[in-house]
Amino acid sequence: MEEIIKIVGVGVIALIIIIIMKQYRPEFAIYISMLAGILIMWLVFGRLSEIINLIQSITSKTNINNKYLSIILKITGIAILTEFAVSICKDSGESSIANKIEMGSKIVIISMSIPIISSLLEVMINILP
């Protein structure tokens, strides 16, 4: 509960500063937005490492290949970083760059997920008569 209060607090304080800064120095608003985003990511990093450790613990007890876990974690990281970059681009009025970042990250995610997709297809083929 304490963490969400910190996250919301950082967001609201950044929003107030951005609103004030836009009146006097609008070019600094994007820097404040980026700084707030980085600070929020830093606040949730501890939780993220807990989640990764839990997933690793579960996969070590099962027959899941660690290669697939690694791919899933990388894809999740790409999605989070992409969302951060896209939000910054849209906040600064560059939606066309944001769209290209999204498209590029989707292609990277699809290419990274090919081993998982092929493994699932092999399992389906073995199950079907």
Side-chain angles (χ1 to χ4, degrees), residues 22 26-27 29-31 33-34 84-101:
K22 280 188 177 180
E27 64 272 10
I30 191 68
Y31 299 121
S33 176
M34 288 174 58
F84 182 70
V86 165
S87 296
I88 289 173
C89 288
K90 287 183 178 178
D91 287 348
S92 64
E94 296 296 334
S95 61
S96 84
I97 293 174
N99 292 336
K100 282 147 186 83
I101 291 172

Side-chain angles (χ1 to χ4, degrees), residues 68 113-129:
Y68 299 136
S113 65
I114 287 175
I116 296 172
I117 294 170
S118 65
S119 176
L120 285 173
L121 288 174
E122 287 177 18
V123 169
M124 289 173 46
I125 289 171
N126 290 335
I127 291 174
L128 295 174

Side-chain angles (χ1 to χ4, degrees), residues 42-85:
W42 181 72
L43 287 172
V44 298
F45 186 74
R47 288 287 184 169
L48 186 60
S49 63
E50 289 175 15
I51 293 168
I52 291 170
N53 291 336
L54 176 67
I55 292 172
Q56 286 176 338
S57 166
I58 291 170
T59 56
S60 68
K61 296 175 185 174
T62 62
N63 285 334
I64 298 174
N65 191 338
N66 283 340
K67 179 177 90 171
Y68 299 136
L69 173 66
S70 173
I71 291 170
I72 290 171
L73 292 175
K74 287 177 185 177
I75 288 172
T76 304
I78 289 170
I80 291 169
L81 291 175
T82 298
E83 182 63 30
F84 182 70

